[in-house]
């Protein structure tokens, strides 16, 4: 799991053409190319090489209603555009599977666990979840609604070099 303000890490997106495509898409979202109706409809935007974005807006929930998941095929890049939300994040080895892997949706659902870290994501914060990161988003922080974009990139395309 990696979390930082996008402005502080923009240089990291110049390393590959795939990361540059993600960065360009984030810029379009920040610049308002997409309308709120696109976010309400959870519009899917195809990028390059199997990478795609999902525009989202939704109401936040209480921590007791958290939905824990992880992904095997994709790395999640979640950029907060408006509002703020909390994420609960933990290591996959600390969780018990609730619903086995769904290949079509690329997710595993987990039973809640107390061994989690809490992360607050505010405007222009980017959170990157790797296949071993169990995460639950959409948790109430200060706002009732969130506007964000989730980019899903096949894990073999993303080489993390910090």
């Amino acid at each position: 799991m990696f979390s930082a303000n996008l402005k502080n890490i923009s240089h990291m997106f110049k390393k590959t053409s795939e990361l540059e495509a993600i960065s360009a898409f984030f810029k379009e979202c920040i610049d308002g190319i997409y309308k709120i109706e696109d976010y309400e409809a959870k519009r899917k935007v195809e990028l390059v090489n199997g990478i795609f974005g999902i525009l989202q807006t939704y109401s936040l929930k209480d921590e007791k209603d958290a939905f824990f998941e992880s992904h095997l095929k994709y790395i999640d890049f979640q950029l907060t555009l408006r509002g703020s939300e909390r994420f609960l994040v933990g290591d996959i080895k600390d969780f018990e599977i609730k619903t086995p892997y769904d290949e079509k949706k690329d997710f595993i659902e987990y039973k809640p666990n107390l061994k989690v870290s809490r992360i607050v994501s505010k405007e222009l914060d980017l959170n990157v979840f790797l296949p071993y990161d169990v995460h639950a988003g959409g948790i109430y922080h200060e706002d009732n609604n969130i506007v964000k974009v989730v980019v899903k990139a096949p894990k073999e395309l993303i080489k993390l070099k910090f």
Side-chain angles (χ1 to χ4, degrees):
M1 194 269 156
F2 178 82
S3 182
N5 187 281
L6 187 61
K7 291 177 185 176
N8 296 332
I9 59 168
S10 60
H11 64 282
M12 295 174 71
F13 286 87
K14 298 183 187 326
K15 296 182 178 192
T16 68
S17 60
E18 290 85 7
L19 289 172
E20 287 176 354
I22 293 170
S23 179
F25 178 61
F26 285 157
K27 184 174 181 342
E28 290 177 350
C29 294
I30 293 165
D31 289 348
I33 299 295
Y34 301 100
K35 304 300 175 213
I36 193 65
E37 295 81 13
D38 295 316
Y39 294 90
E40 290 168 345
K42 296 191 182 333
R43 180 174 170 194
K44 182 178 178 180
V45 180
E46 298 291 338
L47 301 178
V48 296
N49 299 330
I51 300 172
F52 61 93
I54 304 167
L55 308 173
Q56 301 179 347
T57 185
Y58 51 83
S59 297
L60 300 173
K61 57 188 172 265
D62 290 329
E63 192 171 303
K64 65 179 177 51
D65 298 319
F67 178 85
F68 290 90
E69 65 181 333
S70 71
H71 312 284
L72 297 182
K73 293 181 186 176
Y74 292 97
I75 293 175
D76 268 7
F77 292 79
Q78 299 197 21
L79 178 65
T80 301
L81 297 170
R82 284 197 303 257
S84 63
E85 72 178 317
R86 242 179 319 136
F87 285 97
L88 307 177
V89 184
D91 191 291
I92 198 168
K93 68 178 174 28
D94 293 328
F95 285 80
E96 184 179 338
I97 293 175
K98 179 176 179 180
T99 305
Y101 182 64
D102 181 330
E103 187 172 356
K104 196 177 221 179
K105 296 180 182 176
D106 185 43
F107 82 85
I108 301 168
E109 182 182 1
Y110 299 87
K111 294 180 181 177
N113 188 319
L114 297 177
K115 290 184 176 183
V116 294
S117 296
R118 287 163 178 80
I119 296 162
V120 173
S121 185
K122 296 182 179 181
E123 188 173 314
L124 296 185
D125 282 348
L126 176 66
N127 300 280
V128 181
F129 300 105
L130 303 172
Y132 49 80
D133 295 322
V134 175
H135 55 283
I139 309 298
Y140 176 81
H141 178 247
E142 294 174 345
D143 303 295
N144 287 325
N145 294 299
I146 190 84
V147 177
K148 73 181 197 182
V149 60
V150 176
V151 170
K152 294 194 166 278
K155 66 181 181 182
E156 62 273 2
L157 294 179
I158 307 300
K159 307 291 184 240
L160 298 176
K161 296 177 183 175
F162 295 103

